[in-house]
């Protein structure tokens, strides 16, 4: 069912999701929803890595994205430990800035980028180019040329036009870049329609069922300019069920066997993509990295045995699963409005310009009072933004203390992925800053935009 064009749950009244229950303790934090170093201090306010959110708000203003740096780093280490013989690429589209590039590089990660801007950010932060994979369904000649000149480690081919384009560029430069073929395997993950990226009717990759994927591989092998290392499959986002990966691996390894039989080439690599889910609310139950590793390796080992293939070197691409839980957004309440006993709207000083996912994907989030504890009864509320849209919703339904009032701080967890990276200047609202906190100290890693920034682009 399509969402109303004015936004998620436009006109919906007097209901709440069945899984949302009044909390026994309105001040309690649900651990799986929050960065690992977030606590509620003795004075009732939230603190991250020992630093109180009231101090953060006073210094950096609101809204502000707050990154728990040790949480992000620990998730990098957990994925690397779970996949010791694989290349673990951080999917930069989830959120990228130079500080995050340096963090993931220091933790031994690889990096997946999908535009020239992301590539520029990675290179400017010192990411070793051989540890970068370059995605994208419409890479320009300039972008491909820059990737070749930088020595990017893997370029993921997405169309016949791109094969021709990259082949010409590589031949002219006398280089032999390592490439993967992105295969659409006809698996639709259990996810929102717009982020299910592996069914056939979509813009990414080469169709397996129609024979385009095999033809692409044969072309690269026969022209012998690009070095075909393997195949790539990505089946969606916010995935909790491994069944889709099982079907995907079976089909893509079947293609690998077909390539072996037709050209005598056994490709040494396989990239299973990412899309691993996180907990946005208590209804979400994501798998741990060790559990993911166990299930994916069992799938690949079994399919390789069935096809009599050597087990390829694996790659995976977690993005949301690393940065998503490591960040929360801190807002200040501006108005609290009860609408005829139907619903209480808690308006904050951000909204769809800093988190479009609720309006775009009908995504669910949680929230809590952040600046103090409360003894008031829980009240079902909707946290909304300041934009001129009825669908400007941050949290569709949440129990907040009934005494929430203007000036209070509200924190929304799980906002590390696809919030700052998809942020906009709708209604000419400047985008919020990103502040990293570690060991009781905060540092600005992305500064707040200003009205001067907006006006500087307006040359009229």
């Amino acid at each position: 069912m399509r969402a109303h064009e004015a936004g998620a749950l436009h006109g919906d009244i007097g209901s709440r999701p069945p899984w949302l229950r009044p909390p026994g303790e309105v001040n309690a934090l649900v651990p799986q929803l929050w960065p690992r170093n977030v606590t509620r201090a003795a004075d009732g306010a939230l603190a991250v890595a020992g630093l109180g959110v009231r101090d953060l708000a006073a210094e950096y203003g609101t809204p502000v994205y707050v990154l728990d740096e040790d949480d992000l780093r620990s998730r990098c280490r957990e994925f690397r430990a779970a996949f010791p013989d694989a290349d673990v690429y951080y999917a930069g589209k989830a959120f990228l800035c130079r500080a995050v590039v340096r963090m993931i590089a220091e933790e031994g990660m690889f990096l997946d980028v999908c535009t020239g801007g992301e590539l520029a950010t990675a290179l400017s932060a010192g990411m070793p180019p051989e540890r970068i994979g370059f995605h994208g369904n419409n890479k320009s000649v300039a972008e491909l040329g820059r990737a070749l000149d930088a020595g990017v480690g893997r370029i993921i081919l997405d169309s016949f036009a791109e094969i021709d384009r990259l082949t010409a560029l590589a031949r002219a430069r006398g280089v032999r870049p390592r490439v993967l073929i992105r295969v659409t395997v006809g698996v639709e993950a259990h996810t929102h329609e717009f982020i299910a990226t592996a069914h056939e009717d979509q813009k990414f990759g080469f169709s397996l069922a129609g024979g385009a994927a095999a033809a692409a591989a044969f072309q690269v092998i026969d022209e012998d300019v690009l070095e075909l290392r393997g195949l790539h499959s990505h089946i969606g986002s916010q995935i909790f069920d491994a069944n889709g990966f099982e079907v995907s691996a079976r089909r893509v390894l079947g293609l690998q066997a077909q390539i072996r039989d037709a050209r005598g080439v056994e490709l040494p690599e396989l990239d299973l993509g990412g899309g691993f889910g996180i907990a946005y609310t208590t209804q979400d139950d994501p798998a741990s990295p060790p559990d993911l590793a166990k299930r994916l390796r069992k799938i690949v080992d079994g399919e390789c045995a069935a096809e009599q293939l050597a087990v390829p070197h694996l790659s995976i691409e977690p993005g949301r699963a690393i940065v998503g839980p490591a960040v929360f957004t801190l807002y200040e309440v501006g108005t609290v409005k009860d609408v005829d006993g139907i619903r209480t709207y808690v308006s904050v000083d951000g909204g769809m310009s800093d988190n479009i996912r609720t309006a775009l994907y009908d995504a669910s989030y949680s929230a809590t009072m952040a600046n103090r504890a409360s003894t008031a009864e829980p009240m079902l509320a909707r946290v909304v933004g300041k934009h001129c849209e009825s669908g400007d919703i941050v949290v569709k339904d949440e129990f907040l203390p009934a005494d929430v009032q203007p000036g209070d701080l509200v924190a929304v967890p799980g906002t590390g992925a696809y919030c700052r990276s998809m942020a906009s200047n709708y209604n000419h609202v400047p985008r919020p800053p990103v502040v990293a906190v570690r060991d009781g100290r905060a540092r600005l890693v992305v500064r707040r935009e200003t009205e001067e920034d907006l006006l500087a682009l307006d040359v009229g």
Side-chain angles (χ1 to χ4, degrees):
M1 184 178 68
R2 297 285 188 183
H4 191 283
E5 66 178 65
L9 296 187
H10 179 71
D12 170 48
I13 58 173
S15 63
R16 72 169 189 259
W19 49 266
L20 185 62
R21 297 282 187 270
E25 168 54 66
V26 74
N27 303 301
L29 299 178
V30 180
Q32 66 265 33
L33 304 184
W34 292 90
R36 292 164 179 172
N37 292 302
V38 168
T39 59
R40 198 174 284 280
D43 63 0
L46 293 190
V48 54
L51 189 61
V53 296
R54 290 183 301 211
D55 293 333
L56 287 171
E59 183 170 357
Y60 299 103
T62 57
V64 56
Y65 302 104
V66 182
L67 167 64
D68 179 348
E69 183 173 339
D70 280 337
D71 184 293
L72 183 146
R73 289 177 177 273
S74 69
R75 293 178 193 277
C76 291
R77 291 193 291 270
E78 287 168 6
F79 268 101
R80 289 199 63 221
F83 292 87
D85 301 321
D87 294 336
V88 183
Y89 285 79
Y90 171 71
K93 64 181 180 176
F95 171 64
L96 200 66
C97 66
R98 285 185 289 189
V100 166
V101 172
R102 295 186 186 107
M103 290 176 202
I104 63 110
E106 289 167 2
E107 298 300 335
M109 300 279 284
F110 289 65
L111 175 62
D112 161 42
V113 300
C114 59
T115 66
E118 290 183 354
L119 178 59
T121 301
L123 295 175
S124 71
M127 186 73 189
E130 66 274 12
R131 285 162 57 186
I132 298 175
F134 192 13
H135 273 278
N137 68 296
N138 188 24
K139 307 179 195 73
S140 69
V141 170
E143 288 174 328
L144 290 171
R146 185 173 192 179
L148 290 178
D149 294 340
V152 162
R154 298 291 184 276
I155 297 175
I156 295 82
L157 299 172
D158 203 274
S159 68
F160 288 106
E162 185 173 293
I163 294 176
D164 295 340
R165 200 174 291 157
L166 186 62
T167 298
L169 291 168
R171 186 179 283 123
R173 283 168 167 77
V175 297
R176 186 174 172 82
R178 294 183 166 188
V179 300
L180 305 178
I181 299 279
R182 179 159 178 170
V183 182
T184 50
V185 295
V187 177
E188 185 169 357
H190 297 289
T191 185
H192 190 284
E193 177 186 353
F194 292 155
I195 51 175
T197 54
H199 53 289
E200 296 290 339
D201 183 14
Q202 47 104 6
K203 70 177 186 176
F204 296 104
F206 295 90
S207 167
L208 180 64
F218 295 154
Q219 178 178 336
V220 173
I221 292 169
D222 293 345
E223 290 181 340
D224 199 27
V225 175
L226 314 178
E227 182 182 350
L228 182 58
R229 297 293 297 173
L231 304 176
H232 178 284
S233 171
H234 177 72
I235 62 172
S237 291
Q238 190 62 354
I239 302 168
F240 298 104
D241 186 350
N243 292 338
F245 289 105
E246 182 172 3
V247 176
S248 172
R250 180 181 306 120
R251 293 180 182 176
V252 78
L253 288 168
L255 173 59
Q256 195 144 314
Q258 180 185 348
I259 294 167
R260 174 200 61 195
D261 296 342
R263 292 296 190 273
V265 175
E266 190 159 323
L267 302 177
E269 298 181 14
L270 174 63
D271 191 324
L272 291 177
F276 313 122
I278 68 169
Y280 287 107
T281 70
T282 54
Q283 67 177 333
D284 297 324
D285 185 22
S288 67
D291 185 44
L292 283 170
K294 179 180 178 181
R295 292 155 76 181
L296 292 182
R297 288 204 171 277
K298 180 179 179 181
I299 289 166
V300 172
D301 290 348
E303 296 304 324
C304 285
E307 295 286 357
Q308 296 183 320
L309 289 166
V311 176
H313 184 79
L314 289 182
S315 297
I316 59 167
E317 299 169 1
R320 181 198 314 263
I322 288 174
V323 74
V327 175
F328 65 89
T329 307
L330 188 65
Y331 300 98
E332 182 176 318
V333 176
T335 65
V336 179
K337 183 184 297 184
D338 177 74
V339 180
D340 301 328
I342 297 172
R343 190 187 303 280
T344 298
Y345 287 88
V346 177
S347 297
V348 296
D349 54 354
M352 63 193 300
S353 60
D354 59 72
N355 186 350
I356 191 63
R357 294 188 69 256
T358 307
L360 184 62
Y361 298 139
D362 198 21
S364 294
Y365 284 89
S366 177
T368 194
M369 179 93 79
N371 60 305
R372 61 184 175 91
S374 173
T375 58
E377 291 296 312
M379 167 188 71
L380 187 63
R382 174 163 289 178
V383 181
V384 297
K386 63 183 292 179
H387 298 283
C388 192
E389 294 285 343
S390 296
D392 177 25
I393 299 169
V394 179
V395 183
K396 291 179 289 187
D397 296 284
E398 181 59 284
F399 284 97
L400 293 173
D403 63 351
V404 61
Q405 58 190 330
D408 279 329
L409 299 177
V410 169
V412 176
T415 56
Y418 307 107
C419 289
R420 181 58 175 81
S421 62
M422 297 176 74
S424 75
N425 295 125
Y426 184 52
N427 291 153
H428 277 55
V429 172
R431 289 177 292 182
V434 182
V435 174
V437 182
R438 192 180 196 189
D439 297 330
R441 294 185 176 182
R443 63 186 176 109
L444 190 66
V445 297
V446 179
R447 70 166 174 83
R448 183 182 301 279
E449 282 185 328
T450 65
E451 291 177 355
E452 288 73 21
D453 292 325
L454 301 182
L455 294 173
L457 298 175
D458 190 338
V459 299

